[in-house]
Amino acid sequence: MNMSSTTRSATADARDVLGRFATGVTVVTAAAPAGPAGFTCQSFTSLSLDPLLVSLAPARTSRTWPLIRAAGTFCVNVLAEDQRTVSDAFAGSTADRFGSVDWSPGPRGVPLLAGACAWFVCELLTEYEGGDHTIAVARVRDFRAGTGDPLVFHHGRYRGLA
């Protein structure tokens, strides 16, 4: 398929094919001046072990990413298999995303979501243009493994590992 000029059909086809790559589901949170902020993010990956770096790619249209960027420190909460409703809550445009989830302030004040199977407290280092997304690189300052298997998203649906 020629992708020199992406059409609506080509975009739908690309989304379908790219959706066949399974990803974990995370919620990125920060302590913003007006209160906690967060959004669901599937574009998260480890980048380097030395130094310990991760990357994530929020949409350029995100209204939450600028709040998190301004905070400078944020948490990547890796959702557990039983946290589909948490993912949905942070994916929507609801003003109070934290109202229906258990969370507590963690290291550096970042919101930690209860029940996450892992979390990474990060400091934003830099950002790059990435088409309709921003590629953010962050240094991991603290991390912890929880329990349970991760929530996985594949071909438009939540799934478990089993």
Side-chain angles (χ1 to χ4, degrees):
M1 171 177 288
N2 180 356
M3 294 301 291
S4 60
S5 64
T6 306
T7 64
R8 184 176 180 108
S9 176
T11 300
D13 289 346
R15 182 183 302 257
D16 177 61
V17 174
L18 288 167
R20 293 170 193 268
F21 179 70
T23 63
V25 182
T26 69
V27 170
V28 179
T29 59
F39 67 96
T40 298
C41 181
Q42 289 171 245
S43 299
F44 168 74
T45 190
S46 62
L47 185 59
S48 169
L49 289 174
D50 187 16
L52 187 51
L53 303 174
V54 296
S55 68
L56 58 125
R60 285 195 171 291
T61 57
S62 172
R63 287 177 279 168
T64 307
W65 176 245
L67 302 172
I68 293 172
R69 175 194 300 122
T73 300
F74 56 88
C75 182
V76 178
N77 297 269
V78 179
L79 297 187
E81 189 173 24
D82 63 351
Q83 292 185 299
R84 296 173 185 203
T85 57
V86 174
S87 174
D88 290 341
F90 283 88
S93 58
T94 305
D96 183 17
R97 295 174 176 171
F98 287 85
S100 63
V101 299
D102 280 342
W103 66 278
S104 60
R108 301 175 187 237
V110 297
L112 302 180
L113 301 182
C117 66
W119 56 253
F120 301 89
V121 176
C122 304
E123 228 173 65
L124 182 63
L125 291 180
T126 192
E127 294 177 295
Y128 301 96
E129 238 181 86
D132 58 1
H133 283 67
T134 298
I135 301 165
V137 176
R139 182 180 302 268
V140 176
R141 295 299 185 184
D142 201 353
F143 57 91
R144 184 195 76 202
T147 59
D149 288 333
L151 180 61
V152 176
F153 197 76
H154 176 258
H155 208 220
R157 294 184 16 212
Y158 293 117
R159 301 180 188 265
L161 291 179

PDB file of all heavy atoms in Angstrom, residues 112-137:
ATOM      1  N   LEU A 112      -0.545   7.461  42.568  1.00  0.00           N
ATOM      2  CA  LEU A 112      -0.364   6.032  42.305  1.00  0.00           C
ATOM      3  C   LEU A 112      -1.733   5.385  42.326  1.00  0.00           C
ATOM      4  O   LEU A 112      -2.488   5.550  43.288  1.00  0.00           O
ATOM      5  CB  LEU A 112       0.505   5.385  43.382  1.00  0.00           C
ATOM      6  CG  LEU A 112       1.899   5.947  43.596  1.00  0.00           C
ATOM      7  CD1 LEU A 112       2.602   5.181  44.710  1.00  0.00           C
ATOM      8  CD2 LEU A 112       2.705   5.901  42.313  1.00  0.00           C
ATOM      9  N   LEU A 113      -2.075   4.660  41.278  1.00  0.00           N
ATOM     10  CA  LEU A 113      -3.377   4.008  41.204  1.00  0.00           C
ATOM     11  C   LEU A 113      -3.322   2.668  41.923  1.00  0.00           C
ATOM     12  O   LEU A 113      -2.444   1.835  41.657  1.00  0.00           O
ATOM     13  CB  LEU A 113      -3.791   3.808  39.746  1.00  0.00           C
ATOM     14  CG  LEU A 113      -3.888   5.085  38.905  1.00  0.00           C
ATOM     15  CD1 LEU A 113      -4.351   4.749  37.491  1.00  0.00           C
ATOM     16  CD2 LEU A 113      -4.808   6.098  39.557  1.00  0.00           C
ATOM     17  N   ALA A 114      -4.257   2.463  42.845  1.00  0.00           N
ATOM     18  CA  ALA A 114      -4.332   1.205  43.588  1.00  0.00           C
ATOM     19  C   ALA A 114      -4.582   0.058  42.616  1.00  0.00           C
ATOM     20  O   ALA A 114      -5.358   0.187  41.675  1.00  0.00           O
ATOM     21  CB  ALA A 114      -5.449   1.274  44.624  1.00  0.00           C
ATOM     22  N   GLY A 115      -3.901  -1.045  42.841  1.00  0.00           N
ATOM     23  CA  GLY A 115      -4.119  -2.244  42.044  1.00  0.00           C
ATOM     24  C   GLY A 115      -3.282  -2.343  40.788  1.00  0.00           C
ATOM     25  O   GLY A 115      -3.329  -3.359  40.094  1.00  0.00           O
ATOM     26  N   ALA A 116      -2.501  -1.308  40.454  1.00  0.00           N
ATOM     27  CA  ALA A 116      -1.643  -1.379  39.270  1.00  0.00           C
ATOM     28  C   ALA A 116      -0.618  -2.489  39.468  1.00  0.00           C
ATOM     29  O   ALA A 116      -0.176  -2.753  40.586  1.00  0.00           O
ATOM     30  CB  ALA A 116      -0.941  -0.044  39.037  1.00  0.00           C
ATOM     31  N   CYS A 117      -0.241  -3.151  38.390  1.00  0.00           N
ATOM     32  CA  CYS A 117       0.722  -4.248  38.534  1.00  0.00           C
ATOM     33  C   CYS A 117       2.168  -3.749  38.506  1.00  0.00           C
ATOM     34  O   CYS A 117       3.083  -4.512  38.818  1.00  0.00           O
ATOM     35  CB  CYS A 117       0.476  -5.354  37.518  1.00  0.00           C
ATOM     36  SG  CYS A 117       0.754  -4.930  35.822  1.00  0.00           S
ATOM     37  N   ALA A 118       2.359  -2.472  38.176  1.00  0.00           N
ATOM     38  CA  ALA A 118       3.680  -1.847  38.259  1.00  0.00           C
ATOM     39  C   ALA A 118       3.496  -0.344  38.137  1.00  0.00           C
ATOM     40  O   ALA A 118       2.484   0.123  37.620  1.00  0.00           O
ATOM     41  CB  ALA A 118       4.604  -2.351  37.149  1.00  0.00           C
ATOM     42  N   TRP A 119       4.476   0.404  38.635  1.00  0.00           N
ATOM     43  CA  TRP A 119       4.485   1.839  38.393  1.00  0.00           C
ATOM     44  C   TRP A 119       5.906   2.344  38.277  1.00  0.00           C
ATOM     45  O   TRP A 119       6.839   1.752  38.808  1.00  0.00           O
ATOM     46  CB  TRP A 119       3.665   2.633  39.397  1.00  0.00           C
ATOM     47  CG  TRP A 119       3.979   2.499  40.860  1.00  0.00           C
ATOM     48  CD1 TRP A 119       3.227   1.843  41.777  1.00  0.00           C
ATOM     49  CD2 TRP A 119       5.082   3.047  41.596  1.00  0.00           C
ATOM     50  NE1 TRP A 119       3.802   1.952  43.025  1.00  0.00           N
ATOM     51  CE2 TRP A 119       4.940   2.694  42.942  1.00  0.00           C
ATOM     52  CE3 TRP A 119       6.181   3.821  41.249  1.00  0.00           C
ATOM     53  CZ2 TRP A 119       5.847   3.065  43.928  1.00  0.00           C
ATOM     54  CZ3 TRP A 119       7.096   4.194  42.236  1.00  0.00           C
ATOM     55  CH2 TRP A 119       6.905   3.814  43.551  1.00  0.00           C
ATOM     56  N   PHE A 120       6.032   3.442  37.517  1.00  0.00           N
ATOM     57  CA  PHE A 120       7.312   4.095  37.283  1.00  0.00           C
ATOM     58  C   PHE A 120       7.128   5.592  37.528  1.00  0.00           C
ATOM     59  O   PHE A 120       6.312   6.224  36.864  1.00  0.00           O
ATOM     60  CB  PHE A 120       7.781   3.903  35.830  1.00  0.00           C
ATOM     61  CG  PHE A 120       7.950   2.465  35.443  1.00  0.00           C
ATOM     62  CD1 PHE A 120       6.884   1.742  34.924  1.00  0.00           C
ATOM     63  CD2 PHE A 120       9.166   1.828  35.603  1.00  0.00           C
ATOM     64  CE1 PHE A 120       7.029   0.415  34.564  1.00  0.00           C
ATOM     65  CE2 PHE A 120       9.317   0.502  35.253  1.00  0.00           C
ATOM     66  CZ  PHE A 120       8.242  -0.212  34.733  1.00  0.00           C
ATOM     67  N   VAL A 121       7.862   6.133  38.478  1.00  0.00           N
ATOM     68  CA  VAL A 121       7.848   7.573  38.706  1.00  0.00           C
ATOM     69  C   VAL A 121       8.946   8.156  37.820  1.00  0.00           C
ATOM     70  O   VAL A 121      10.101   7.733  37.903  1.00  0.00           O
ATOM     71  CB  VAL A 121       8.088   7.917  40.191  1.00  0.00           C
ATOM     72  CG1 VAL A 121       8.163   9.429  40.381  1.00  0.00           C
ATOM     73  CG2 VAL A 121       6.981   7.320  41.047  1.00  0.00           C
ATOM     74  N   CYS A 122       8.563   9.108  36.977  1.00  0.00           N
ATOM     75  CA  CYS A 122       9.457   9.602  35.936  1.00  0.00           C
ATOM     76  C   CYS A 122       9.589  11.117  35.948  1.00  0.00           C
ATOM     77  O   CYS A 122       8.676  11.828  36.363  1.00  0.00           O
ATOM     78  CB  CYS A 122       8.921   9.203  34.563  1.00  0.00           C
ATOM     79  SG  CYS A 122       8.648   7.436  34.351  1.00  0.00           S
ATOM     80  N   GLU A 123      10.721  11.574  35.439  1.00  0.00           N
ATOM     81  CA  GLU A 123      10.985  12.996  35.224  1.00  0.00           C
ATOM     82  C   GLU A 123      11.130  13.208  33.720  1.00  0.00           C
ATOM     83  O   GLU A 123      11.951  12.554  33.073  1.00  0.00           O
ATOM     84  CB  GLU A 123      12.309  13.345  35.893  1.00  0.00           C
ATOM     85  CG  GLU A 123      12.289  14.567  36.737  1.00  0.00           C
ATOM     86  CD  GLU A 123      13.617  14.688  37.466  1.00  0.00           C
ATOM     87  OE1 GLU A 123      14.664  14.866  36.815  1.00  0.00           O
ATOM     88  OE2 GLU A 123      13.576  14.582  38.709  1.00  0.00           O
ATOM     89  N   LEU A 124      10.340  14.110  33.160  1.00  0.00           N
ATOM     90  CA  LEU A 124      10.397  14.385  31.726  1.00  0.00           C
ATOM     91  C   LEU A 124      11.756  14.955  31.351  1.00  0.00           C
ATOM     92  O   LEU A 124      12.234  15.900  31.979  1.00  0.00           O
ATOM     93  CB  LEU A 124       9.282  15.368  31.339  1.00  0.00           C
ATOM     94  CG  LEU A 124       9.192  15.717  29.863  1.00  0.00           C
ATOM     95  CD1 LEU A 124       8.870  14.482  29.024  1.00  0.00           C
ATOM     96  CD2 LEU A 124       8.140  16.796  29.652  1.00  0.00           C
ATOM     97  N   LEU A 125      12.391  14.369  30.328  1.00  0.00           N
ATOM     98  CA  LEU A 125      13.683  14.861  29.846  1.00  0.00           C
ATOM     99  C   LEU A 125      13.532  15.707  28.594  1.00  0.00           C
ATOM    100  O   LEU A 125      14.055  16.808  28.502  1.00  0.00           O
ATOM    101  CB  LEU A 125      14.639  13.706  29.547  1.00  0.00           C
ATOM    102  CG  LEU A 125      15.167  12.908  30.725  1.00  0.00           C
ATOM    103  CD1 LEU A 125      16.092  11.806  30.231  1.00  0.00           C
ATOM    104  CD2 LEU A 125      15.898  13.824  31.690  1.00  0.00           C
ATOM    105  N   THR A 126      12.825  15.145  27.602  1.00  0.00           N
ATOM    106  CA  THR A 126      12.698  15.841  26.322  1.00  0.00           C
ATOM    107  C   THR A 126      11.501  15.306  25.555  1.00  0.00           C
ATOM    108  O   THR A 126      10.942  14.256  25.895  1.00  0.00           O
ATOM    109  CB  THR A 126      13.994  15.695  25.489  1.00  0.00           C
ATOM    110  OG1 THR A 126      13.954  16.594  24.390  1.00  0.00           O
ATOM    111  CG2 THR A 126      14.197  14.279  24.995  1.00  0.00           C
ATOM    112  N   GLU A 127      11.134  16.040  24.528  1.00  0.00           N
ATOM    113  CA  GLU A 127      10.037  15.638  23.655  1.00  0.00           C
ATOM    114  C   GLU A 127      10.468  15.805  22.199  1.00  0.00           C
ATOM    115  O   GLU A 127      11.291  16.666  21.885  1.00  0.00           O
ATOM    116  CB  GLU A 127       8.807  16.520  23.882  1.00  0.00           C
ATOM    117  CG  GLU A 127       8.179  16.380  25.241  1.00  0.00           C
ATOM    118  CD  GLU A 127       7.024  17.342  25.420  1.00  0.00           C
ATOM    119  OE1 GLU A 127       7.274  18.566  25.418  1.00  0.00           O
ATOM    120  OE2 GLU A 127       5.898  16.869  25.552  1.00  0.00           O
ATOM    121  N   TYR A 128       9.873  14.978  21.338  1.00  0.00           N
ATOM    122  CA  TYR A 128      10.126  15.039  19.910  1.00  0.00           C
ATOM    123  C   TYR A 128       8.800  15.043  19.178  1.00  0.00           C
ATOM    124  O   TYR A 128       7.811  14.483  19.672  1.00  0.00           O
ATOM    125  CB  TYR A 128      10.939  13.814  19.450  1.00  0.00           C
ATOM    126  CG  TYR A 128      12.271  13.684  20.129  1.00  0.00           C
ATOM    127  CD1 TYR A 128      12.414  12.853  21.238  1.00  0.00           C
ATOM    128  CD2 TYR A 128      13.375  14.383  19.673  1.00  0.00           C
ATOM    129  CE1 TYR A 128      13.637  12.736  21.880  1.00  0.00           C
ATOM    130  CE2 TYR A 128      14.607  14.264  20.306  1.00  0.00           C
ATOM    131  CZ  TYR A 128      14.731  13.437  21.409  1.00  0.00           C
ATOM    132  OH  TYR A 128      15.934  13.325  22.046  1.00  0.00           O
ATOM    133  N   GLU A 129       8.786  15.631  17.993  1.00  0.00           N
ATOM    134  CA  GLU A 129       7.594  15.588  17.164  1.00  0.00           C
ATOM    135  C   GLU A 129       7.439  14.185  16.628  1.00  0.00           C
ATOM    136  O   GLU A 129       8.409  13.581  16.178  1.00  0.00           O
ATOM    137  CB  GLU A 129       7.747  16.567  15.994  1.00  0.00           C
ATOM    138  CG  GLU A 129       6.657  17.602  15.957  1.00  0.00           C
ATOM    139  CD  GLU A 129       6.821  18.528  14.786  1.00  0.00           C
ATOM    140  OE1 GLU A 129       6.345  18.190  13.698  1.00  0.00           O
ATOM    141  OE2 GLU A 129       7.438  19.586  15.012  1.00  0.00           O
ATOM    142  N   GLY A 130       6.230  13.675  16.654  1.00  0.00           N
ATOM    143  CA  GLY A 130       5.971  12.335  16.146  1.00  0.00           C
ATOM    144  C   GLY A 130       4.646  12.290  15.397  1.00  0.00           C
ATOM    145  O   GLY A 130       3.756  11.554  15.797  1.00  0.00           O
ATOM    146  N   GLY A 131       4.508  13.098  14.368  1.00  0.00           N
ATOM    147  CA  GLY A 131       3.259  13.118  13.598  1.00  0.00           C
ATOM    148  C   GLY A 131       2.117  13.641  14.441  1.00  0.00           C
ATOM    149  O   GLY A 131       2.194  14.744  14.981  1.00  0.00           O
ATOM    150  N   ASP A 132       1.076  12.824  14.612  1.00  0.00           N
ATOM    151  CA  ASP A 132      -0.075  13.269  15.402  1.00  0.00           C
ATOM    152  C   ASP A 132       0.112  12.993  16.892  1.00  0.00           C
ATOM    153  O   ASP A 132      -0.805  13.166  17.680  1.00  0.00           O
ATOM    154  CB  ASP A 132      -1.380  12.660  14.881  1.00  0.00           C
ATOM    155  CG  ASP A 132      -1.389  11.146  14.868  1.00  0.00           C
ATOM    156  OD1 ASP A 132      -0.386  10.524  15.280  1.00  0.00           O
ATOM    157  OD2 ASP A 132      -2.409  10.567  14.430  1.00  0.00           O
ATOM    158  N   HIS A 133       1.308  12.570  17.277  1.00  0.00           N
ATOM    159  CA  HIS A 133       1.647  12.335  18.678  1.00  0.00           C
ATOM    160  C   HIS A 133       2.936  13.077  19.041  1.00  0.00           C
ATOM    161  O   HIS A 133       3.677  13.511  18.165  1.00  0.00           O
ATOM    162  CB  HIS A 133       1.828  10.834  18.954  1.00  0.00           C
ATOM    163  CG  HIS A 133       0.549  10.092  19.074  1.00  0.00           C
ATOM    164  ND1 HIS A 133      -0.307   9.925  18.007  1.00  0.00           N
ATOM    165  CD2 HIS A 133      -0.041   9.495  20.120  1.00  0.00           C
ATOM    166  CE1 HIS A 133      -1.372   9.254  18.404  1.00  0.00           C
ATOM    167  NE2 HIS A 133      -1.235   8.974  19.686  1.00  0.00           N
ATOM    168  N   THR A 134       3.176  13.200  20.329  1.00  0.00           N
ATOM    169  CA  THR A 134       4.435  13.715  20.857  1.00  0.00           C
ATOM    170  C   THR A 134       5.181  12.534  21.448  1.00  0.00           C
ATOM    171  O   THR A 134       4.582  11.717  22.149  1.00  0.00           O
ATOM    172  CB  THR A 134       4.170  14.753  21.971  1.00  0.00           C
ATOM    173  OG1 THR A 134       3.460  15.851  21.395  1.00  0.00           O
ATOM    174  CG2 THR A 134       5.457  15.240  22.594  1.00  0.00           C
ATOM    175  N   ILE A 135       6.452  12.415  21.147  1.00  0.00           N
ATOM    176  CA  ILE A 135       7.265  11.346  21.736  1.00  0.00           C
ATOM    177  C   ILE A 135       7.999  11.954  22.928  1.00  0.00           C
ATOM    178  O   ILE A 135       8.811  12.865  22.767  1.00  0.00           O
ATOM    179  CB  ILE A 135       8.273  10.779  20.723  1.00  0.00           C
ATOM    180  CG1 ILE A 135       7.523  10.232  19.502  1.00  0.00           C
ATOM    181  CG2 ILE A 135       9.137   9.698  21.379  1.00  0.00           C
ATOM    182  CD1 ILE A 135       8.417   9.972  18.303  1.00  0.00           C
ATOM    183  N   ALA A 136       7.666  11.477  24.108  1.00  0.00           N
ATOM    184  CA  ALA A 136       8.264  11.989  25.341  1.00  0.00           C
ATOM    185  C   ALA A 136       9.257  10.966  25.883  1.00  0.00           C
ATOM    186  O   ALA A 136       8.956   9.771  25.938  1.00  0.00           O
ATOM    187  CB  ALA A 136       7.175  12.260  26.376  1.00  0.00           C
ATOM    188  N   VAL A 137      10.429  11.445  26.267  1.00  0.00           N
ATOM    189  CA  VAL A 137      11.460  10.598  26.882  1.00  0.00           C
ATOM    190  C   VAL A 137      11.609  11.044  28.326  1.00  0.00           C
ATOM    191  O   VAL A 137      11.706  12.244  28.610  1.00  0.00           O
ATOM    192  CB  VAL A 137      12.799  10.710  26.135  1.00  0.00           C
ATOM    193  CG1 VAL A 137      13.886   9.898  26.838  1.00  0.00           C
ATOM    194  CG2 VAL A 137      12.639  10.259  24.685  1.00  0.00           C
TER     195      VAL A 137
END
